[in-house]
Amino acid sequence: MLIVGLGNPDKKYENTYHNVGFMVIDRLTEILGISLREDACRAKYAVMYKNSEKIIIAKPMTYMNLSGEAVVALSSRYNIDIENIIVIYDDIDLPVGEIRIRKSGSAGTHNGMRNICGNLNSNNSPRVRVGIGKPQPPMQLVDYVLSHIKGENKEILDNAIDKVARLLADYINHKDLEKMMRDSK
């Protein structure tokens, strides 16, 4: 199993809307008591075992729009089927803090997910979308997703990030995507 959160690696992108996937991975590793130590396959990642199953938890270091390169490298290196790759990312089409989990589907408007689907030649990997809302005019989309999370949105997203990390920790233990989808409501 590969659990990958999307974001941008530079320090200046920390705590921005586009790094929600990275924030989920940071919280998940905290819950699991592990650290991302490996630096290969164009990603920082940890390898853990649960009931003799290998679980990779990763953050691509390729920048958002090239996330598929790291996902393909990791899935090839560890022989992970597409259906066992869970991708976590921000979604402007959902209200701030709303969580939506799907078994598969299109990449929608998200360039990082689009790159993953294109590199995998498939839309069949589960995904966890965390709503970040849309910018208020006249702010441009790129400025919004790369802006720092503040105020009420910070608290709402912190709660959503914690919830998603806990859902993923439970998924690692039970491998029940349907349960994870129900519990996300």
Side-chain angles (χ1 to χ4, degrees), residues 1-5 21-36 48 55-58 86 88 161-172:
M1 172 189 323
L2 170 60
I3 299 174
V4 60
F22 274 16
M23 291 182 236
V24 169
I25 294 299
D26 291 341
R27 182 68 183 114
L28 177 60
T29 57
E30 189 178 301
I31 290 168
L32 297 173
I34 62 172
S35 299
L36 302 182
M48 62 177 279
I55 299 161
I56 314 319
I57 299 172
I86 299 176
I88 305 105
I161 288 163
D162 185 67
K163 183 174 184 174
V164 170
R166 291 183 185 286
L167 289 168
L168 289 164
D170 187 61
Y171 180 78
I172 288 169

Side-chain angles (χ1 to χ4, degrees), residues 126-155:
R127 68 264 336 260
V128 179
R129 297 165 30 215
V130 179
I132 61 168
K134 292 187 178 186
Q136 298 299 313
M139 184 179 247
Q140 297 296 308
L141 180 60
V142 69
D143 296 328
Y144 177 69
V145 298
L146 297 178
S147 69
H148 290 276
I149 305 166
K150 299 177 193 159
E152 183 183 357
N153 284 354
K154 175 96 172 101
E155 185 177 336

Side-chain angles (χ1 to χ4, degrees), residues 6-7 18 63-69 71 87 89-90 107 109-119:
L6 304 188
H18 225 20
Y63 292 94
M64 181 66 77
N65 295 348
L66 299 175
S67 298
E69 294 174 10
V71 171
V87 183
Y89 58 98
D90 60 283
T109 59
H110 199 280
N111 288 333
M113 192 64 200
R114 189 175 297 143
N115 187 261
I116 290 170
C117 292
N119 275 275

Side-chain angles (χ1 to χ4, degrees), residues 73-88:
L74 286 165
S75 63
S76 295
R77 180 176 188 166
Y78 291 101
N79 197 27
I80 299 169
D81 294 330
I82 291 169
E83 297 80 20
N84 292 320
I85 300 170
I86 299 176
V87 183
I88 305 105

